Each structure stands twice: as structure tokens, then as C-alpha cells.
Amino acid sequence: MKLIKDPQGMHSFSLKAKYRGKTIGFVPTMGYLHEGHLSLVEAARGKSDVVIVSIFVNPLQFGANEDFDRYPRDFNHDKKQLQNFDVDVLFIPSRDDIYQESHRTFVDVEGLSKRLCGISRPALFRGVTTILAKFFNIVSPDFVFMGEKDFQQLLIVRQMVRDLNLPVEVIGLPTVREFDGLAMSSRNKYLSPKERQNAAVLCQALNLGRQEIEKGERDKHKLLLRLRSLVGTIPSIRLDYLVMVDPDTLAEKKDLNGRTLLALAAYFGKTRLIDNILVEAK
Ligand code: AMP
């Protein structure tokens, strides 16, 4: 596995690979890798000739009072994990190489970015789309592999790719979960043992929602109350949102027919976790 720090070096590596007719699969991450990330790497390995993984904790997507400084980092462990997956390049640019002082251009996907997570984290998606637009130019991937765990992010990136005619195919992959259903996340590390145990209630609530819709429940307000009261059994959790929305627009669903995205974000103290599940009412 080659380590590349310099964006120019990364770009010329990719151009050479393309010149030789190779397809490039790209997995952008913020590191502190877990099996969720590795599932993306595995999919990239299966579909592309050359696999490039980036680790970059992107300051632009963190708000002033968020966890940029304490975001978990363990480069040596990440590197070892990736070596087991036959990754061709690990791209680890520095902050200064990515955002020069003169940086003034930002990519903002309107509408979708203002919903759900965009309400309590207004900087998030503008940061994500800006860094990914830059990375797509630097890495020139044919495919980018992203997790459905960040469903809103996936939708926004797909929109950006369409709107800007970016020559990359966005491939979404299912959420990888812990033994008790908790969605894997680098931020799970922040949880105390007690919080970690309690965190399973988040996916239990989503699963209950799915079961009830599949059983025929169509009263959205009644169902939301049930799910919220299940989460409410853990007093240390503060829900940011728990919603049932259209998976294409993220607008509130009026009824529970067709496809519905059940999505939530919740705080344990300062730790904010997200999860979602897609339900199809028959
Ligand atoms: P992050 O390092 O949190 O920015 O995530 C990098 C990529 O990994 C994103 O595309 C995430 O959606 C994806 N990802 C994070 N957690 C999971 C998970 N539990 N299962 C599948 N993909 C995930």
C-alpha cells in the first residue's frame, strides 16, 4: 500500500492508472476505521482495479462547538487494517494542502442540506460536498463507495454528482452494525460503557417502527409517539430528531405508504449518533 500525502502526487498517480485503462474505486473516510468502513473498502476492491482510501478529518464540516479537536484518530491502527484489504493507495493529505489560506470556493447542495442533520449541524453538508468535490478532482475515481448509515449525506452527494455532471458513480452500501444492532460509528468510542449499552435502544426504535409499518400501521403520529417513548426509557438520551420522511426528498411523509425513511439523531451528553432504516410498506 502506497502512502500519498501530496494532492498533486495523488492526482498524477490516478492519471497514470487511468492512462493504463484501470478503473479507480475511492473510499473517503475520516479514519478511526471500523467494519463499516472496511465493508466499503471490500466493495471497492471487488469492483475496481485500483482502490484508493482517504483519511482526512475535514475541519470544514465541523461547527465551532463540535468535536473536530477530539475526533478519534489512530493512524497506525487504520493503516494496519487497510493493509489486510489490498488497498493500493492511502491518501492522507494535510489540512494546509487541502485548504490554503486563500480558499474561497464552497459547494452547497440547496434544500436537502438544510433538512434533518442540517438543522442542528448547519456547517456539515457544505463541508462534506466541498471536500468531496475537491477529492473527486484530485483522485478522479470511477466509483465512490459510501455508507447508507449517513443516508442524507449519500443523497446529497448523489445530487451534487448529478448537478455538476461529475464523472463518478456513487455506490451506497448497507449499514454495518454491532452485535446488538447499534450502527458502527467512530463516535461510538465516546460512549461510556453504560451509554454504549443503552445506545442499542436507537436501532430498537427504528426496528420497532419497521415492524409496525410492515404489520400495517399507517398512523404516523401514533407510531412516532411509540418510538419516542421507547427512546425515552433511557433518560440520558436527548433526541435531536426522529422522523419518517420521503427517502428521495427527506420531506416529512404525510402517510406511511410506499417507501419511508425512518431516521434519527440523538445525543448522549455531547456525543451525537445517527441511524436510519428504509421501510417499504406493501
Ligand atoms: P466517516 O469516516 O464517518 O466519515 O465515514 C466514511 C464512510 O464510511 C461514509 O461513507 C460513511 O457513511 C461510511 N460508514 C460509516 N459508518 C458506517 C457503517 N456502520 N456501515 C457502513 N458504512 C459506514
Side-chain angles (χ1 to χ4, degrees):
M1 184 170 72
K2 212 173 151 74
L3 275 187
I4 301 185
K5 293 188 177 167
D6 157 40
Q8 299 263 308
M10 183 68 255
H11 190 53
S12 56
F13 175 96
S14 288
L15 287 187
K16 278 185 210 140
K18 297 212 125 177
Y19 183 71
R20 286 185 285 121
K22 307 287 184 200
T23 57
I24 297 178
F26 178 42
V27 182
T29 81
M30 297 205 297
Y32 209 73
L33 303 180
H34 51 67
E35 285 169 46
H37 296 114
L38 298 174
S39 73
L40 307 182
V41 176
E42 207 171 5
R45 185 70 283 166
K47 195 172 163 75
S48 356
D49 299 320
V50 172
V51 175
I52 299 174
V53 177
S54 64
I55 296 181
F56 182 66
V57 184
N58 175 28
L60 201 61
Q61 71 191 68
F62 288 80
N65 298 318
E66 293 179 358
D67 56 344
F68 175 74
D69 286 331
R70 64 187 194 111
Y71 193 84
R73 293 159 168 93
D74 188 346
F75 179 65
N76 287 332
H77 184 249
D78 288 349
K79 198 166 78 176
K80 267 200 207 116
Q81 304 239 58
L82 293 172
Q83 275 159 345
N84 296 330
F85 280 82
D86 198 15
V87 168
D88 296 280
V89 177
L90 175 52
F91 177 45
I92 42 163
S94 71
R95 177 179 181 158
D96 289 349
D97 277 339
I98 292 297
Y99 298 116
Q100 277 138 30
E101 267 197 43
S102 58
H103 185 100
R104 293 291 178 274
T105 306
F106 302 92
V107 179
D108 198 359
V109 173
E110 292 182 356
L112 286 175
S113 298
K114 302 288 173 286
R115 296 179 182 270
L116 309 189
C117 288
I119 297 170
S120 53
R121 302 192 61 198
L124 172 62
F125 294 115
R126 179 182 188 251
V128 168
T129 40
T130 300
I131 190 65
L132 287 180
K134 285 168 74 69
F135 277 3
F136 292 170
N137 283 326
I138 295 167
V139 172
S140 301
D142 296 277
F143 315 110
V144 60
F145 297 83
M146 304 184 69
E148 287 171 358
K149 186 208 155 219
D150 299 272
F151 193 95
Q152 183 175 13
Q153 169 173 284
L154 188 57
L155 213 60
I156 289 170
V157 172
R158 288 204 160 110
Q159 179 84 42
M160 170 179 80
V161 163
R162 267 198 312 277
D163 289 350
L164 299 182
N165 302 87
L166 301 179
V168 58
E169 182 184 341
V170 181
I171 296 173
L173 289 147
T175 303
V176 177
R177 296 177 179 281
E178 301 281 0
F179 69 97
D180 58 355
L182 177 67
M184 288 194 177
S185 164
S186 307
R187 289 191 168 98
N188 291 350
K189 177 186 158 53
Y190 296 143
L191 301 172
S192 69
K194 187 77 195 153
E195 288 172 333
R196 169 63 195 83
Q197 201 184 338
N198 287 335
V201 79
L202 300 178
C203 90
Q204 284 162 7
L206 296 175
N207 280 329
L208 175 64
R210 172 167 58 191
Q211 277 165 21
E212 291 301 311
I213 294 172
E214 285 175 354
K215 274 202 277 178
E217 178 62 81
R218 292 293 176 270
D219 185 336
K220 187 177 123 180
H221 295 289
K222 188 171 135 208
L223 187 54
L224 275 174
L225 276 177
R226 258 189 92 183
L227 305 194
R228 287 191 179 127
S229 68
L230 174 58
V231 176
T233 58
I234 309 291
S236 55
I237 298 183
R238 183 168 63 81
L239 268 179
D240 179 6
Y241 63 79
L242 193 172
V243 292
M244 301 186 179
V245 295
D246 181 305
D248 298 320
T249 61
L250 304 181
E252 282 284 345
K253 292 257 312 196
K254 292 211 168 54
D255 58 48
L256 295 176
N257 295 316
R259 293 162 74 238
T260 302
L261 183 76
L262 310 192
L264 60 76
Y267 289 96
F268 289 77
K270 280 185 169 172
T271 304
R272 185 173 180 281
L273 302 182
I274 58 171
D275 199 355
N276 70 81
I277 212 169
L278 189 59
V279 185
E280 183 112 30
K282 296 267 158 35

